[in-house]
């Protein structure tokens, strides 16, 4: 069973690491203190027991009456200590005597065991109290350290999360997004690694924005500068006498004008100032109009299939531009038959050629980049993707399992509109 996603966060990992380290440190210190104090306490009790055994031995050798708590082979004496004394050696042992901790000391006496006992209750209480104090202080220290550590780590992870959010915004096209970490604004203030990353991200975004703006201005300036002479060139080409040279000139002028208009359109899309004229549209009539226009322009025949019509909220002119570019690309770079399918708010354009190249599937359309050996400037799909984003549609590219390129355009559908009978219209598949 996979672990929950939150267990992979830096806060969780740091908390676990801090807890483990605190527990290990507390256990080590607790064991050291316990061993040291227990050794000292047991040593003092053992010394007292042996001193008492010495006194009892002297009284036994003098024939005096033994005091209470001392005797020869007392029945309460532990067997292991009795055997040690009978063998001729002295020793001590802590045992439970009727629920009372007792320290026994025993030694040899005429082949038997002479034993003496002292009360070990206070020493046992001291050790037990010490163990409880160690446990309580360890729990308190672990809790306090964990809270402080999680607070400190959370501050760092919050800054990292902010940096990651800004990076995602930049990746989505918001080049004005910045982290603006206050630590990067004051050079005299020491910077940590998170501030260094945030500063590097802001610098990268500013540099990237500057380069893109420069590229956009250059594209727009070139397109505007070309527009006027191309208009004059087009007018002059129309005055040429009919013939093959005139046809070639007009064809090239037309291609250059189309390229110039595409560049102007891309520059407007890059500027982000496009305004949409949204309206409710039935999808099938719009698509049929695009298919007819494509056939009339000589682009090629398209097989149209309507599985289910849908009402969408869109900018009709921009939608026609997107679908027209997808059809033009399918006819130009793919192979017949080219199929256009309307399935509710989803439009699919498919050809039966070699499919989209890998770079396009991975990174999307790129201007002035096409497969080697193919004609085109890569602006058609770039414009389609830009216009789709403007109208709020989702355009994706893929390859069919049995071959061919597949472009899928998903539009926002409007459901629940009143039908001709006044009731809400249903849209079954």
């Amino acid at each position: 069973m996979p672990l929950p996603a939150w267990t992979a966060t830096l806060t969780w990992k740091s908390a676990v690491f801090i807890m483990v380290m605190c527990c290990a440190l507390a256990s080590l210190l607790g064991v050291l203190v316990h061993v040291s104090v227990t050794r000292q306490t047991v040593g003092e009790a053992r010394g007292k027991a042996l001193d008492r055994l010495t006194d009892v031995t002297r009284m036994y050798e003098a024939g005096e009456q033994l005091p209470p708590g001392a005797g020869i082979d007392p029945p309460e004496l532990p067997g292991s200590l009795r055997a040690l004394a009978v063998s001729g050696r002295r020793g001590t042992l802590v045992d439970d005597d009727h629920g009372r901790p007792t320290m026994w000391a025993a030694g040899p006496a005429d082949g038997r065991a002479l034993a003496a006992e002292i009360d070990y209750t206070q020493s046992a209480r001291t050790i037990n109290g010490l163990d409880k104090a160690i446990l309580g202080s360890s729990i308190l220290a672990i809790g306090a350290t964990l809270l402080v550590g999680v607070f400190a780590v959370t501050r760092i992870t919050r800054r990292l999360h902010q940096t990651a959010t800004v990076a995602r915004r930049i990746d989505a096209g918001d080049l004005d997004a910045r982290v603006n970490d206050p630590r990067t604004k004051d050079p005299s203030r020491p910077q940590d690694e998170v501030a260094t990353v945030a500063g590097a991200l802001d610098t990268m975004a500013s540099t990237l924005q500057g380069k893109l703006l420069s590229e956009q201005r250059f594209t727009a300036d070139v397109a505007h500068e070309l527009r006027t002479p191309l208009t004059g060139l087009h007018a002059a080409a129309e005055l040429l006498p009919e013939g093959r040279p005139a046809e070639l000139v007009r064809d090239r002028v037309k291609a250059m004008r189309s390229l110039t208009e595409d560049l102007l359109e891309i520059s407007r899309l890059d500027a982000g100032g496009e305004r949409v004229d949204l309206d409710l549209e039935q999808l099938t009539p719009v698509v049929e109009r695009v298919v007819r226009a494509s056939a009339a322009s000589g682009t090629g025949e398209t097989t149209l299939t309507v599985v289910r019509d849908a009402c969408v909220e869109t900018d009709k002119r921009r939608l026609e531009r997107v679908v027209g570019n997808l059809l033009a690309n399918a006819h130009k770079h793919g192979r017949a038959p080219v199929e256009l399918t309307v399935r509710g708010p989803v439009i699919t354009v498919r050809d039966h050629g070699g499919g989209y190249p890998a770079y396009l599937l991975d990174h999307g359309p790129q201007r002035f980049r096409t497969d080697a050996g193919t004609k085109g400037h890569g602006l058609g799909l770039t414009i389609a993707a830009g216009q789709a984003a403007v109208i709020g549609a989702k355009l994706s590219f893929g390859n069919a399992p049995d071959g061919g390129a597949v472009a899928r355009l998903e539009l926002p559908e409007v459901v629940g509109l009143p039908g001709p009978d006044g009731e809400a219209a249903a849209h079954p598949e």
Side-chain angles (χ1 to χ4, degrees), residues 312-375:
V312 297
E313 185 178 19
T314 187
D315 186 323
K316 181 173 64 174
R317 180 182 64 84
R318 298 182 187 276
L319 175 59
E320 291 177 350
R321 176 68 160 155
V322 174
V323 178
N325 281 17
L326 294 178
L327 286 178
N329 182 82
H331 284 289
K332 186 174 184 178
H333 300 286
R335 287 197 301 268
V338 174
E339 302 170 352
L340 191 153
T341 304
V342 177
R343 188 183 299 272
V346 179
I347 300 174
T348 304
V349 177
R350 177 189 175 180
D351 61 58
H352 291 75
Y356 290 118
Y359 78 86
L360 191 146
L361 298 179
D362 293 337
H363 306 290
Q366 299 180 28
R367 62 193 71 174
F368 300 110
R369 180 174 180 181
T370 58
D371 276 346
T374 61
K375 296 181 179 180

Side-chain angles (χ1 to χ4, degrees), residues 23 66 194 216 229-230 256 353 402 406:
C23 290
L66 299 181
V194 180
Q216 293 171 9
L230 282 175
M256 291 184 66
D402 55 345
V406 180

Side-chain angles (χ1 to χ4, degrees), residues 218-234 253 256-257 259-261 263-264:
F218 175 77
T219 302
D221 292 344
V222 169
H224 280 290
E225 291 298 326
L226 288 175
R227 201 174 195 182
T228 301
L230 282 175
T231 301
L233 187 60
H234 175 72
V253 170
M256 291 184 66
R257 290 190 67 183
L259 175 59
T260 302
E261 294 300 326
L263 289 174
L264 285 172

Side-chain angles (χ1 to χ4, degrees), residues 14-54:
S14 300
V16 172
F17 175 77
I18 292 173
M19 182 179 296
V20 171
M21 294 303 298
C22 287
C23 290
L25 182 60
S27 299
L28 178 61
L29 294 178
V31 169
L32 292 176
V33 173
H34 172 82
V35 170
S36 177
V37 174
T38 301
R39 183 180 297 172
Q40 180 180 359
T41 303
V42 172
E44 292 177 355
R46 185 172 184 273
K48 292 180 180 179
L50 291 175
D51 290 341
R52 179 173 172 78
L53 178 62
T54 301

